[in-house]
Amino acid sequence: MIKQELKNYLYILLGSIILAFGVVWFFAPNHMITGGTAGLALLIHYISPFSIGSLIIAINIPLLIIGIKYLGKMFAIRTIITLVLISTFIDIMIRFFHLKALVMDTPLAAIFGGIFIGVGIAIIIKGNSSAGGSTIIARIVASNTEIKPGQVLLFLDFCIVFSALFILDDNVRVLWSIVSIYITSRVIDMVLTGNLNKKVVNIVTEKADLLKVRIREDLGEYGTIITGDGLYGEHKTMILIIVEVTKLQYLRELVKNNDPEAFLIISEANEMLGRGN
């Protein structure tokens, strides 16, 4: 438990530093926003004398106190520590180290700022923590209604971006901020699940014995045969395999040539665990 917690806090420390660099190097000097409560803090900072770090604390701490029962004690403690670290790093970088923008260019700031924020948040998530109170709002709403957490987060981001249209008075920056939020979400997915180049293929066939031999000999892939009954009582056999994208077309041809009546379902392999993965 102690080793795991130390690992969590190392992730939190690293993620907080990277996220702070993303804000200081790209977002703040280019007057852009990001999603969640960090984006709200940036928005208020642009029209007030308060520092970004103090606003992050002011917005998130009350939300954490309200939502602690929805998060669990340890998760809430890690999140509070994360927010304090992010706020402290941002203010120190700006006020004491006087870090300047790496680029004063809106498109580049949107792209690289989104990457930095995404990597930072993903590493923080790996540390079993979070970087903002919007997650708390989403959990509270989801637990009391039929609305999904993802829909709540999307709505909150929309409200922040919509408000930016009136505060930033620069539609181009707002639109690039939306691009940046999308980049951040994609980077988070990539860091947490990996950039897999494999597909999940389900083959419904009446010639499972023939296809399993051909797949094993021609593709060298492992798989699973699943048997069951159809809705009308007919016998069904399905072969489940994971294949690389480069082998997908060969698999299609192999199935078509050996069983033209077979039915293929192809989907993304977003995350793989076990067998060395």
Side-chain angles (χ1 to χ4, degrees):
M1 289 291 293
I2 294 175
K3 289 180 68 175
Q4 181 59 45
E5 276 303 297
L6 287 174
K7 186 177 179 181
N8 285 338
Y9 285 113
L10 284 174
Y11 276 130
I12 290 170
L13 179 63
L14 178 61
S16 299
I17 293 172
I18 295 173
L19 193 152
F21 274 121
V23 172
V24 175
W25 274 345
F26 302 103
F27 281 92
N30 286 279
H31 284 78
M32 297 180 65
I33 59 170
T34 183
T37 51
L40 181 59
L42 279 167
L43 208 55
I44 298 174
H45 167 72
Y46 297 143
I47 58 172
S48 73
F50 301 109
S51 69
I52 300 171
S54 62
L55 287 168
I56 290 176
I57 292 293
I59 294 170
N60 283 287
I61 294 301
L63 291 174
L64 280 167
I65 293 172
I66 295 171
I68 190 168
K69 71 175 184 177
Y70 296 93
L71 300 175
K73 183 178 178 181
M74 290 306 299
F75 187 86
I77 291 172
R78 292 190 207 102
T79 300
I80 291 172
I81 293 172
T82 302
L83 292 170
V84 171
L85 287 174
I86 292 171
S87 305
T88 303
F89 287 142
I90 289 174
D91 285 351
I92 287 176
M93 288 174 183
I94 293 175
R95 294 189 173 188
F96 295 99
F97 292 105
H98 304 290
L99 292 185
K100 304 297 182 182
L102 280 187
V103 291
M104 290 301 296
D105 180 86
T106 302
L108 288 176
I111 294 169
F112 288 97
I115 292 172
F116 268 73
I117 298 292
V119 171
I121 292 176
I123 293 175
I124 288 169
I125 292 173
K126 280 180 172 287
N128 292 306
S129 182
S130 73
S134 54
T135 305
I136 302 166
I137 298 174
R139 291 196 181 190
I140 293 174
V141 173
S143 64
N144 292 284
T145 66
E146 297 296 322
I147 303 173
K148 296 179 181 179
Q151 294 174 326
V152 179
L153 293 172
L154 183 63
F155 175 75
L156 292 174
D157 285 346
F158 171 79
C159 290
I160 293 169
V161 171
F162 184 73
S163 300
L165 289 171
F166 303 96
I167 294 175
L168 296 183
D169 195 27
D170 187 340
N171 293 346
V172 173
R173 293 183 190 275
V174 174
L175 292 175
W176 275 109
S177 294
I178 296 172
V179 173
S180 182
I181 291 171
Y182 174 76
I183 292 172
T184 294
S185 66
R186 296 300 301 163
V187 170
I188 291 172
D189 288 342
M190 188 178 296
V191 173
L192 292 179
T193 64
N195 187 21
L196 295 175
N197 63 339
K198 296 186 177 182
K199 300 283 187 179
V200 178
V201 181
N202 295 286
I203 307 169
V204 180
T205 177
E206 295 180 357
K207 299 181 179 179
D209 291 335
L210 172 60
L211 285 178
K212 73 177 182 182
V213 173
R214 293 302 308 277
I215 291 171
R216 188 172 61 233
E217 292 179 350
D218 294 358
L219 293 178
E221 300 289 352
Y222 291 95
T224 302
I225 294 179
I226 303 170
T227 60
D229 295 324
L231 293 178
Y232 295 96
E234 70 275 25
H235 180 70
K236 293 284 186 179
T237 304
M238 182 171 70
I239 301 175
L240 170 64
I241 58 173
I242 308 293
V243 298
E244 294 179 4
V245 174
T246 54
K247 297 180 180 179
L248 193 56
Q249 185 56 36
Y250 185 84
L251 176 63
R252 288 193 183 104
E253 294 296 327
L254 186 151
V255 174
K256 181 179 179 181
N257 293 335
N258 288 276
D259 185 6
E261 301 300 321
F263 179 64
L264 277 73
I265 304 171
I266 303 171
S267 59
E268 296 287 341
N270 291 324
E271 184 172 7
M272 293 176 61
L273 300 173
R275 286 190 180 175
N277 294 298

